[in-house]
Amino acid sequence: MKLGRRLTLLGVTVVAAPLILVGCTADRGHEGKNGAGKAAPPELTVTPGDQAKDVPISAEVGTKVAGGRVTGVRIVDDKGKEVKAEPREDGSSWVPISPLQPKRTYTAEVTATGDSGRTTTRKTTFTTLPKSTKPAVTSTLYFAGNRTYGTAMPVTVAFDPPIPKEARADVQRRLFVKTNPAQPGVWSWVADGSQVYYRAPDFWKPGTTISVRAGLTGLPIGKELVGDQDRTATSKIGRQVSLEIDNATKQMSVLRDGKLVRKIPVSLGKPSTPTSSGKMVIMEKFQFTTFDTTGSADPYVVDVEDAQRLTWGGEFIHGAPWSEGDQGSTNVSHGCTNVSASAADWLMNITQVGDLVTVKGTEVPLTEGNGWTAWNVDWDQYVKGSALPVPAGLGPAPTHPNHPGAVAGGSPAPQPSVSGG
């Protein structure tokens, strides 16, 4: 990493559509004792432009250097208080780690050093917009702090209303993920713009720490909307567990670190309400909940224990003592995966939010966006959903073990909707 990226954090968080305000102050390159004949100082451009007005509170201090690198950034507000910020990985800007305040004036001083040791310093002063009166897009970060998630856990941000195509690049630039150990990934949008996922080419390694920031406060989203607020979370990845459900055999295989630990008989959705086939992720877990489909074509209300959500549409794995006689032989549910009461209780102690669940052989495929469907397509198809260029050379490992753990949680709880019994 370049020296400029190792500097102590100097800024405040958040949002900025690519800044179109450009400009800089006079060059203050230092000649030294024998300036004549020495290499020219680096060329440095800083944004927003000096004396710029009506700058979004999501502004970043943009830096463009030719013949050197940024070696110093200091940002202060109009009361002289330092604003902490950190550099983007590509060095293109310094991002305040908290939103800037409306109708305030900020000054940024940036220094670049050339290979010869000569420096250039530029200073820019800009004033932010008053508090926006535009409607805010509601964002939800489905990645909570201080949790332990499964190895297939995608970072998911949902939006209401959905983000139009022309605004997705601006929003995506304000979504940040750091992993330790490093496992670079890519954001990918659901076609309708209602959700965006972040994952690496391969499953997370157990023990990985993931830190997320959705820096959306005041971000201009198109001409009519703004982002609602900043959201941050840091959590870890736990042991590898995955579930494989085969409609042909009516069996669930439970694997830990790629090794089979148990087989469980299941009853899936009957032909009129089939279970989806595809790669899903456990989204949330309930020791007790109520499925209420009042108002649907097949209304019912039923209490269930040990339920684990797989889709927004209401497909769960759950205990179903009423169908134990059919489990392993006949599909009788409303779309859920029915298991015995004892098996459901055992599963609750084994699984984590973020574990992969693969269902195959049913009548219907999993619909994009019906749950956290980031793993339901291969990598080449997944990256097509990015609104920004994908890093060159980023892709799955050359060889793949049979199960995710060999490669190497909670969230805001959606309310149960139409669900199988």
Side-chain angles (χ1 to χ4, degrees), residues 323-403:
S323 71
E324 288 186 11
D326 296 300
Q327 293 166 18
S329 61
T330 307
N331 291 336
V332 297
S333 86
H334 291 84
C336 288
T337 298
N338 285 185
V339 298
S340 69
S342 62
D345 179 68
W346 180 83
L347 282 170
M348 288 286 282
N349 292 314
I350 294 296
T351 60
Q352 305 154 113
V353 170
D355 285 341
L356 185 71
V357 178
T358 303
V359 179
K360 65 179 183 179
T362 66
E363 296 87 341
V364 295
L366 179 65
T367 302
E368 181 193 45
N370 185 15
W372 301 336
T373 56
W375 294 100
N376 200 44
V377 292
D378 63 24
W379 180 252
D380 289 342
Q381 184 65 31
Y382 174 82
V383 298
K384 291 179 181 178
S386 176
L388 295 172
V390 176
L394 185 61
T399 58
H400 301 284
N402 292 329
H403 305 291

Side-chain angles (χ1 to χ4, degrees), residues 141-357:
L141 173 61
Y142 289 104
F143 189 91
N146 301 314
R147 305 290 180 90
T148 299
Y149 288 116
T151 56
M153 182 67 180
V155 177
T156 303
V157 185
F159 301 95
D160 184 17
I163 305 299
K165 279 188 177 181
E166 61 272 17
R168 292 178 193 174
D170 292 347
V171 172
Q172 189 173 325
R173 277 183 57 83
R174 296 303 306 169
L175 304 176
F176 306 93
V177 178
K178 294 179 181 179
T179 56
N180 185 19
Q183 290 181 260
V186 170
W187 290 95
S188 180
W189 292 84
V190 171
D192 67 1
S194 62
Q195 295 182 89
V196 63
Y197 308 123
Y198 184 92
R199 71 169 176 90
D202 299 305
F203 296 93
W204 302 119
K205 297 176 182 178
T208 298
T209 297
I210 301 176
S211 296
V212 182
R213 185 171 116 243
L216 300 175
T217 302
L219 174 69
I221 300 177
K223 295 181 179 179
E224 306 299 330
L225 300 170
V226 296
D228 57 349
Q229 68 180 74
D230 281 24
R231 305 176 192 278
T232 61
T234 297
S235 283
K236 289 190 174 183
I237 300 301
R239 65 183 183 276
Q240 187 279 321
V241 172
S242 60
L243 311 180
E244 298 181 355
I245 301 167
D246 188 348
N247 185 40
T249 62
K250 307 292 188 294
Q251 297 287 321
M252 172 194 295
S253 298
V254 181
L255 303 111
R256 183 186 295 167
D257 299 323
K259 297 180 180 179
L260 180 66
V261 294
R262 183 172 176 178
K263 284 206 167 190
I264 297 173
V266 300
S267 178
L268 303 178
K270 55 191 175 183
S272 59
T273 53
T275 301
S276 299
S277 282
K279 293 182 178 179
M280 312 172 203
V281 175
I282 295 174
M283 303 170 69
E284 59 181 344
K285 301 169 64 171
F286 299 95
Q287 289 187 333
F288 177 88
T289 191
T290 299
F291 295 156
D292 185 348
T293 67
T294 303
S296 71
D298 186 9
Y300 61 89
V301 178
V302 60
D303 294 333
V304 298
E305 295 183 356
D306 300 324
Q308 305 191 51
R309 177 186 285 273
L310 302 180
T311 71
W312 294 119
E315 294 183 38
F316 286 75
I317 298 169
H318 65 82
W322 57 86
S323 71
E324 288 186 11
D326 296 300
Q327 293 166 18
S329 61
T330 307
N331 291 336
V332 297
S333 86
H334 291 84
C336 288
T337 298
N338 285 185
V339 298
S340 69
S342 62
D345 179 68
W346 180 83
L347 282 170
M348 288 286 282
N349 292 314
I350 294 296
T351 60
Q352 305 154 113
V353 170
D355 285 341
L356 185 71
V357 178

